């Protein structure tokens, strides 16, 4: 059956009605392209999916249309060398490690408080350094906390970016710190270098609008370091062992006096050896009631089948207490007091840890070396990669034998690439994204259905929206909303959705409405060659002529653009006579015709329909097509407020204000090279007292790299980061700094005109008709599956 139209969009005035154009859609049958439908050439579809995962932009439509397997392979080689690949791998391992439980947005001092103050007396160094300056102190505190939280995943990033063997995530004899966490832990950089500072402050403290203190060390500059100072109960340098010795990892997977690190051992075996010890089929309840053997875990065969594997690994962690603090068990302290005689000594699969290693408390580095030398380590890493890319590892008992064989073959091929290239994750990923299963369609008739259904994650969905429509969805930048769309918070929600639930479906409907609202008019305002959604039509492409007759040439262009949208958004390659396409085409015709009828008979409706685009759907002040309203050249000119077109930006002494436009030299400006200069003296630039709401604007001598003078043109706005030059709505003479909101009081024009009016009026209801089409397509299940 035809895809149902999921919703009417009352706020936008969009309605889907019955067929009135003469195009028949009866008897269409099941014409919806299946997720696993055939395709002549998969390279284009696979390239789009690879870009969603690893890149920030799509190849051009021409490149996609002409891409063959060789082109795809070459492009993949380039993409996996970029930062996008590293970012995706880091995200995949965060889903495994769940360290984000401790980030500031979940727990303000979550990671900082994991480090014992008696071992790390400077862990809250910012309290003393910024004692009376709460704003900068809180900013630095959050950065410090998140740096400690992210030490493990930054190690993953470092290993990939440095082209080290991926085994270094366990064997690295260092940890990753930035300036802030290095101060917190008194960590010593391995290379003895310095941390990078940015040109603009990261955290500031202001007083009466003036910056009185700031810090500019780059929070993203992580470097290898070691902990070598004496701790309260441990006087030797820390024996780093990559992730295994990370305090956040040890707290995320804690232990107890009775558990004795067996939980940690189970996690290590599961995560890094692809072995779930709980999968061994034993009745542990009966074993736990053993009253015959003095030490069942060492003497009872029903227990030793597991404990002989697990306990030596657990003992390798024995100098780490429940919070990851180093307290040798020989000290017999209450928070790490064990009887060493009733658990196996440190070792690995029958190999005992050397005595000197035990005595030096370097058991974790030794354990790491054993793990990465195990043939199961590559398989564990490749299966983690597979789950991150394909959504879930298949269950042998649920898949067909052919499907599971295809999965095993892909895993084996990726392992070979991984191990033969010095444990290079890029080589393994390349195998996975060049496999036919990476596409939703296949050249062959073999479906591999369950292996290929991957519900898109919120992070990738937002990238997909941005690449395909030009707009991202703000809701997906909120952790609570992200969770409703299948995301995780690494704390209470740790598993991603495999299939959509009722909340997810409602969220998708909302997303479709809002993205269509934001993207359609914005896209149509761009030149055709720059558009993502409408390369064939314009706002003047109407289905009927002025006398009400259908315009056949325009209708064909409309169909052509609908055909493109099905391919672009849903990877559906439909003929223009396909019933599925004709249904979408009919939706456009009905929405446009009935929308005009509603406006013409507006008195029949309560509330009355809008005669123009809703403000949320109209062209915003920062739209790139509006840049010509300001211009960017060395010619002096007036700058008028779009909201108050008779008022010009003026200079009075050193202060800026708004005055009635008079053409005087005091009202002329040069906009060039990211600065706004006075037309009467190009050595004087607009500067801000502070980038905060209500910050003052004045003239000051132009300086290179002065952050307060960096006013780039973004559409019809002058922007400095997230702030804009703003005319007060309550006092038309006041001009100041305000956070960007895109209103007309933040829009500027040389002559006072606003070129957005033709589109925003939408007199022919064509833009809102296209919103109905885009909403419909984004509501389709195809869009949320990869």
């Amino acid at each position: 059956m035809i895809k149902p139209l999921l919703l009417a969009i009352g706020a936008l005035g969009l309605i889907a009605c019955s067929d009135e154009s003469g195009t028949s859609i009866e008897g269409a049958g099941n014409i919806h392209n299946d997720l696993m439908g055939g395709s002549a050439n998969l390279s284009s579809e696979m390239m789009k999916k690879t870009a969603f995962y690893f890149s920030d932009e799509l190849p051009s439509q021409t490149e996609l249309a002409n891409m063959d397997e060789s082109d795809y392979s070459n492009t993949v080689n380039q993409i996996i060398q970029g930062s996008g690949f590293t970012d995706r791998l880091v995200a995949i391992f965060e889903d495994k490690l769940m360290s984000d439980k401790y980030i500031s947005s979940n727990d303000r001092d979550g990671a900082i408080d994991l480090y014992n103050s008696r071992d790390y007396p400077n862990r809250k160094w910012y309290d003393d350094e910024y004692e009376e300056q709460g704003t900068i102190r809180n900013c630095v505190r959050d950065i410090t906390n998140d740096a400690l939280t992210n030490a493990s995943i930054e190690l993953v990033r470092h290993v990939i970016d440095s082209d080290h063997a991926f085994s270094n995530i366990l064997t690295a004899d260092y940890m990753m710190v930035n300036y802030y966490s290095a101060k917190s832990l008194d960590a010593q950089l391995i290379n003895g270098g310095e941390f990078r500072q940015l040109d603009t402050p990261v955290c500031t403290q202001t007083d009466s609008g003036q910056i009185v203190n700031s810090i500019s060390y780059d929070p993203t500059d992580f470097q290898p370091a070691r902990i070598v100072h004496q701790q309260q109960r441990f006087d030797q340098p820390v024996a780093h062992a990559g992730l295994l010795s990370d305090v956040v990892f040890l707290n995320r997977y804690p232990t107890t006096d009775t558990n004795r690190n067996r939980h940690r051992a189970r996690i290590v075996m599961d995560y890094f050896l692809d072995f779930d010890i709980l999968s061994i089929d034993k009745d542990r309840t009966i074993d736990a009631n053993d009253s015959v053997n003095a030490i069942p875990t060492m003497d009872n065969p029903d227990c030793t089948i597991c404990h002989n594997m697990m306990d030596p690994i657990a003992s390798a962690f024995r100098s780490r207490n429940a919070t990851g603090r180093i307290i040798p068990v020989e000290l017999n302290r209450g928070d790490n007091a064990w009887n060493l005689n009733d658990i196996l000594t440190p070792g690995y699969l029958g190999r005992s840890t050397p005595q000197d290693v035990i005595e030096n408390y370097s058991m974790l580095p030794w354990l790491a070396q054993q793990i990465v030398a195990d043939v199961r380590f590559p398989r564990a890493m490749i299966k983690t990669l597979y789950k991150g890319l394909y959504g879930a590892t298949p269950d042998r008992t649920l898949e067909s034998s052919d499907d599971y064989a295809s999965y095993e073959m892909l895993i084996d091929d990726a392992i070979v690439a991984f191990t033969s290239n010095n444990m290079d994750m890029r080589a393994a990923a390349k195998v996975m994204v060049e496999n036919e299963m990476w596409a939703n369609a296949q050249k062959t008739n073999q479906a591999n259905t369950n292996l290929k259904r991957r519900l898109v994650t919120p992070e990738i969905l937002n990238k997909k929206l941005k690449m395909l429509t030009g707009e991202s969805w703000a809701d997906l930048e909120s952790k609570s909303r992200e969770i409703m769309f299948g995301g995780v918070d690494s704390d209470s929600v740790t598993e991603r959705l495999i299939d959509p639930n009722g909340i997810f479906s409602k969220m998708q409907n909302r997303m479709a409405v809002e993205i269509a609202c934001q993207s359609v008019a914005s896209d149509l305002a761009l030149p055709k060659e720059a558009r993502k959604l409408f390369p064939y039509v314009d706002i003047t492409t109407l289905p009927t002529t002025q006398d009400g007759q259908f315009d056949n040439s325009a209708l064909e262009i409309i169909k052509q653009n609908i055909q493109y949208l099905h391919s672009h958004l849903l990877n559906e390659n439909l003929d223009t006579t396909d019933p599925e396409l004709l249904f979408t085409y009919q939706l456009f015709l009905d929405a446009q015709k009935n929308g005009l009828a509603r406006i013409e008979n507006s008195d029949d409706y309560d509330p009355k329909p809008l005669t123009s685009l809703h403000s949320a759907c109209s062209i915003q002040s920062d739209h790139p097509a509006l840049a010509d309203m300001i211009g960017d050249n060395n010619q002096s000119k007036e700058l008028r407020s779009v909201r108050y077109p008779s008022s010009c930006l003026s200079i009075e002494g050193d202060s800026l204000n708004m005055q009635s436009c008079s053409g005087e030299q005091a009202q002329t400006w040069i906009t060039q090279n990211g600065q706004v200069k006075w037309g009467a003296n190009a050595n004087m630039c607009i500067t801000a007292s502070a980038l905060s709401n209500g910050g003052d604007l004045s003239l000051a001598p132009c300086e290179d790299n002065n952050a307060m003078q960096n006013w780039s043109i973004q559409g019809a706005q002058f922007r400095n980061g997230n702030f804009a030059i703003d005319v007060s709505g309550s006092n038309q003479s006041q001009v100041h700094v305000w956070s960007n909101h895109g209103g007309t009081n933040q829009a500027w024009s040389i002559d006072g005109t606003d070129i957005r009016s033709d589109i925003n009026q939408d007199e022919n209801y064509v833009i809102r008709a296209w919103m109905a089409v885009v909403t419909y397509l984004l509501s389709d299940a195809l869009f949320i599956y990869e």
Side-chain angles (χ1 to χ4, degrees):
M1 59 182 292
I2 295 290
K3 287 180 286 192
L5 182 61
L6 299 178
L7 67 166
I9 314 167
L12 303 181
L14 305 180
I15 301 178
C17 302
S18 59
D19 181 8
E20 296 184 18
S21 68
T23 302
S24 173
I25 58 174
E26 296 179 359
N30 185 7
I31 48 68
H32 187 192
N33 273 17
D34 186 77
L35 275 168
M36 312 308 156
S39 174
N41 182 3
L42 303 182
S43 296
S44 174
E45 181 186 339
M46 293 168 75
M47 183 69 259
K48 288 168 71 174
K49 186 174 178 180
T50 299
F52 300 151
Y53 273 74
F54 302 134
S55 184
D56 290 323
E57 59 182 17
L58 282 174
S60 69
Q61 292 301 320
T62 301
E63 290 172 323
L64 285 172
N66 297 323
M67 183 167 287
D68 59 21
E69 291 182 8
S70 176
D71 296 329
Y72 176 60
S73 181
N74 291 335
T75 307
V76 169
N77 286 337
Q78 299 173 21
I79 288 178
I80 62 177
Q81 295 299 322
S83 61
F85 175 82
T86 306
D87 291 341
R88 179 47 32 197
L89 261 291
V90 166
I92 287 172
F93 274 84
E94 165 52 31
D95 272 8
K96 174 71 75 173
L97 300 174
M98 292 288 157
S99 56
D100 269 1
K101 170 183 171 67
Y102 302 105
I103 60 172
S104 298
S105 57
N106 283 338
D107 187 347
R108 192 68 183 271
D109 293 322
I112 295 171
D113 286 342
L114 300 181
Y115 288 86
N116 191 284
S117 60
R118 290 165 290 184
D119 296 334
Y120 300 96
N122 294 326
R123 63 176 187 160
K124 297 186 178 181
W125 59 275
Y126 42 81
D127 282 344
D128 293 331
E129 193 152 331
Y130 306 110
E131 184 176 3
E132 301 296 331
Q133 299 177 332
T135 302
I136 190 171
R137 182 179 68 247
N138 290 338
C139 176
V140 169
R141 176 175 67 177
D142 289 349
I143 293 174
T144 302
N145 184 80
D146 291 352
L148 294 171
T149 299
N150 294 329
S152 286
I153 61 173
E154 288 300 330
L155 175 60
V156 174
R157 185 188 304 278
H158 175 73
V159 167
I160 296 171
D161 286 345
S162 301
D163 293 323
H164 293 161
F166 201 70
S167 54
N168 275 260
I169 66 169
L170 299 186
T171 61
D173 62 346
Y174 52 83
M175 67 180 297
M176 301 302 295
V177 296
N178 64 10
Y179 172 84
Y180 306 88
S181 58
K183 284 180 70 70
S184 184
L185 303 182
D186 294 318
Q188 291 189 7
L189 293 182
I190 291 176
N191 57 17
E194 296 182 353
F195 290 100
R196 179 171 61 245
Q197 295 195 58
L198 302 175
D199 293 333
T200 57
V202 175
C203 300
T204 60
Q205 181 73 37
T206 61
D207 184 9
S208 300
Q210 299 294 323
I211 295 177
V212 296
N213 203 355
S214 66
I215 188 168
S216 57
Y217 284 97
D218 186 354
T220 68
D221 180 22
F222 281 82
Q223 299 186 37
R226 296 190 180 102
I227 307 298
V228 299
H229 68 268
Q230 181 175 336
Q231 300 181 33
Q232 185 188 32
R233 297 194 176 106
F234 189 71
D235 60 2
Q236 301 177 40
V238 172
H240 293 283
L243 305 181
L244 300 182
S245 59
D246 178 47
V247 169
V248 171
F249 176 81
L250 293 168
N251 276 271
R252 195 66 183 82
Y253 305 104
T255 187
T256 65
D257 291 342
T258 54
N259 178 269
R260 302 192 188 186
N261 288 308
R262 289 178 175 117
H263 174 52
R264 289 170 176 165
R266 183 183 75 81
I267 292 297
V268 165
M269 297 173 77
D270 186 15
Y271 285 11
F272 305 116
L273 296 172
D274 186 34
F275 178 65
D276 181 5
I277 200 165
L278 296 181
S279 66
I280 296 178
D281 187 16
K282 295 294 294 179
D283 188 342
R284 295 172 180 81
T285 304
I286 295 176
D287 295 340
N289 293 327
D290 186 351
S291 59
V292 175
N293 297 282
I295 308 175
T297 58
M298 298 180 73
D299 301 330
N300 186 335
D302 288 334
C303 298
T304 58
I305 189 173
C306 292
H307 284 272
N308 283 351
M309 290 184 287
M310 177 171 58
D311 284 8
I313 296 176
S315 287
F317 286 90
R318 70 187 188 186
S319 63
R320 297 283 188 154
N321 73 354
T323 61
R325 192 180 182 204
I326 303 177
I327 302 179
V329 291
E330 292 85 351
L331 294 178
N332 200 31
R333 306 299 303 189
D335 52 359
N336 205 23
W338 292 5
N339 180 355
L340 299 179
N341 295 321
D342 61 6
I343 187 170
L344 295 174
T345 58
Y348 186 84
L349 297 183
R351 293 189 294 276
S352 296
T353 304
Q355 189 60 34
D356 62 324
V357 171
I358 296 176
E359 292 173 355
N360 293 331
Y361 299 101
S362 54
M363 291 171 284
L364 289 182
W366 181 87
L367 175 63
Q369 292 291 346
Q370 310 310 305
I371 293 172
V372 301
D374 195 310
V375 295
R376 294 174 295 177
F377 175 73
R379 177 168 289 272
M381 296 301 94
I382 296 309
K383 289 181 71 173
T384 296
L385 177 65
Y386 177 93
K387 183 177 180 181
L389 297 180
Y390 281 78
T393 51
D395 187 333
R396 184 191 295 271
T397 63
L398 299 178
E399 312 299 339
S400 70
S401 57
D402 287 342
D403 280 2
Y404 199 82
S406 296
Y407 157 74
E408 284 284 357
M409 185 178 299
L410 175 57
I411 293 294
D412 289 342
D413 289 346
I415 289 173
V416 170
F418 180 68
T419 55
S420 61
N421 287 278
N422 190 31
M423 293 194 182
D424 184 0
M425 272 294 193
R426 290 187 178 91
K430 190 173 192 301
V431 169
M432 289 197 177
V433 302
E434 289 187 350
N435 188 279
E436 196 172 87
M437 289 192 298
W438 184 241
N440 291 333
Q442 285 187 273
K443 293 178 182 176
T444 64
N445 292 325
Q446 185 179 0
N448 296 111
T449 303
N450 291 329
L451 302 185
K452 290 157 49 59
R453 289 176 59 86
R454 195 258 158 85
L455 190 66
V456 64
T457 66
E459 304 91 339
I460 296 172
L461 175 61
N462 229 9
K463 287 185 64 178
K464 183 176 182 179
L465 286 169
K466 183 68 174 179
M467 289 185 187
L468 296 183
T469 72
E471 300 291 337
S472 56
W473 194 33
D475 273 32
L476 294 181
E477 297 170 6
S478 163
K479 181 60 69 174
S480 60
R481 297 291 174 81
E482 181 185 312
I483 289 173
M484 287 193 287
F485 225 126
V488 297
D489 65 2
S490 300
D491 187 7
S492 58
V493 182
T494 58
E495 289 291 334
R496 294 188 181 273
L497 288 180
I498 302 300
D499 290 301
N501 54 27
I503 293 177
F504 190 107
S505 299
K506 294 297 184 183
M507 289 283 285
Q508 183 186 359
N509 291 348
R510 178 179 169 185
M511 175 205 75
V513 173
E514 293 187 5
I515 291 297
C517 165
Q518 296 169 26
S519 64
V520 170
S522 179
D523 196 66
L524 284 165
L526 295 169
K528 278 188 178 179
E529 63 273 13
R531 295 179 192 171
K532 296 180 181 293
L533 297 172
F534 303 105
Y536 301 108
V537 297
D538 287 305
I539 60 172
T540 57
T541 308
L542 306 177
T544 57
T545 60
Q546 289 185 346
D547 59 4
Q549 300 299 311
F550 281 110
D551 185 335
N552 290 329
S553 61
L555 292 176
E556 287 303 313
I557 295 174
I558 291 169
K559 284 184 183 178
Q560 187 178 11
N561 208 101
I562 291 173
Q563 182 184 46
Y564 164 81
L565 287 173
H566 273 272
S567 174
H568 181 62
L569 297 177
L570 304 180
N571 291 319
E572 288 185 311
N573 299 313
L574 308 177
D575 293 332
T576 55
T577 57
D578 190 298
E580 183 67 37
L581 184 144
L582 293 178
F583 182 86
T584 311
Y585 166 72
Q586 189 64 50
L587 169 63
F588 172 83
L589 296 178
D590 290 341
Q592 194 261 345
K593 179 179 179 180
N594 290 285
L596 288 175
R598 283 166 62 90
I599 291 176
E600 185 175 348
N601 301 286
S602 60
D603 290 339
D604 296 339
Y605 301 93
D606 185 20
K608 292 184 178 181
L610 296 174
T611 58
S612 59
L613 297 182
H614 189 283
S615 59
C617 309
S618 60
I619 305 298
Q620 303 301 305
S621 297
D622 60 356
H623 193 284
L626 305 181
D628 289 341
M629 289 170 58
I630 296 176
D632 185 8
N633 55 57
N634 58 4
Q635 300 298 314
S636 298
K637 58 210 168 188
E638 292 180 334
L639 289 174
R640 296 173 180 252
S641 168
V642 168
R643 176 172 293 185
Y644 312 111
S646 62
S647 296
C648 284
L649 183 63
S650 304
I651 180 69
E652 186 173 3
D654 289 334
S655 299
L656 300 183
N657 57 29
M658 301 299 295
Q659 297 179 6
S660 296
C661 297
S662 62
E664 296 177 2
Q665 198 172 33
Q667 295 180 348
T668 60
W669 302 93
I670 297 170
T671 53
Q672 191 178 40
N673 300 325
Q675 292 181 316
V676 184
K677 304 176 181 180
W678 187 23
N681 183 353
N683 293 318
M684 300 295 287
C685 287
I686 292 181
T687 191
S689 62
L691 293 180
S692 59
N693 287 350
D696 293 327
L697 292 166
S698 60
L699 275 188
C702 299
E703 302 176 54
D704 293 336
N705 300 320
N706 185 335
M708 298 301 174
Q709 295 180 353
N710 183 25
W711 297 101
S712 61
I713 295 174
Q714 296 190 31
Q717 291 181 297
F718 291 110
R719 293 273 295 276
N720 191 328
N722 292 323
F723 292 90
I725 297 180
D726 182 296
V727 181
S728 171
S730 59
N731 182 357
Q732 298 181 25
S733 67
Q734 183 180 358
V735 60
H736 51 201
V737 178
W738 205 266
S739 54
N740 169 55
H741 54 69
T744 54
N745 62 315
Q746 292 183 345
W748 300 86
S749 173
I750 298 171
D751 56 9
T753 60
D754 187 353
I755 64 175
R756 300 174 293 180
S757 55
D758 287 345
I759 290 182
N760 290 344
Q761 289 300 314
D762 192 25
E763 293 181 352
N764 295 306
Y765 216 88
V766 67
I767 295 175
R768 281 166 283 189
W770 281 118
M771 286 182 190
V773 169
V774 173
T775 299
Y776 170 56
L777 296 178
L778 294 181
S779 300
D780 194 290
L782 283 175
F783 192 78
I784 58 173
Y785 279 93
E786 291 296 329

